[in-house]
Amino acid sequence: LAQPNADYVAVLTAPDSAAKLTALTRIDGQMLWLRWQATAPRAGYSLQLWALSKRDAQVRSVAIISAAGVASLALDSATSRLIQDAAELLLTEEEIGGSALDEPSEMIIARGVCVLLRSG
């Protein structure tokens, strides 16, 4: 299995510092690759991935994930820009279908700084 050639990476860790999710993407790509480490929502819940903007400190939804183990997510250009502008990514547990308020719940599973590995 070939490894993705990534420009951005975020390793999301739990409060106890255990890695839960690694997210990778390319500047010019429309795909977010996900590598999970023992993370699953409770029955009746979904996982939701969020981006915290560097520019305006607003948190915006990237994706709702019904089950851990999803290996990749297709990104539209707006969502790709969200990740490129992200200071960090957050993973929360939300009711099925995602946050009704369009903001993260207090059930933060993990969070991690989004790092630009290289440009262009």
Side-chain angles (χ1 to χ4, degrees):
L1 190 72
Q3 294 294 324
N5 183 10
D7 295 316
Y8 284 89
V9 64
V11 177
L12 285 69
T13 59
D16 66 1
S17 298
K20 295 292 183 180
L21 174 66
T22 302
L24 303 157
T25 192
R26 289 187 48 80
I27 289 173
D28 60 354
Q30 300 298 302
M31 190 65 63
L32 180 67
W33 295 284
L34 303 172
R35 181 172 178 139
W36 298 89
Q37 291 88 20
T39 304
R42 292 179 292 165
Y45 289 85
S46 296
L47 297 174
Q48 192 159 356
L49 187 63
W50 305 85
L52 173 65
S53 172
K54 289 180 210 170
R55 281 185 269 165
D56 62 12
Q58 295 295 310
V59 179
R60 294 177 180 88
S61 179
V62 172
I64 298 165
I65 304 164
S66 57
V70 173
S72 62
L73 297 170
L75 301 175
D76 59 26
S77 58
T79 307
S80 182
R81 284 191 304 272
L82 273 179
I83 293 171
Q84 291 175 29
D85 179 53
E88 65 181 318
L89 299 179
L90 293 89
L91 184 67
T92 62
E93 191 173 68
E94 306 290 345
E95 292 187 13
I96 294 290
S99 171
L101 302 174
D102 202 29
E103 59 185 48
S105 70
E106 293 180 6
M107 293 298 300
I108 297 174
I109 304 293
R111 66 188 317 152
V113 174
C114 195
V115 177
L116 174 64
L117 299 174
R118 62 188 175 99
S119 59

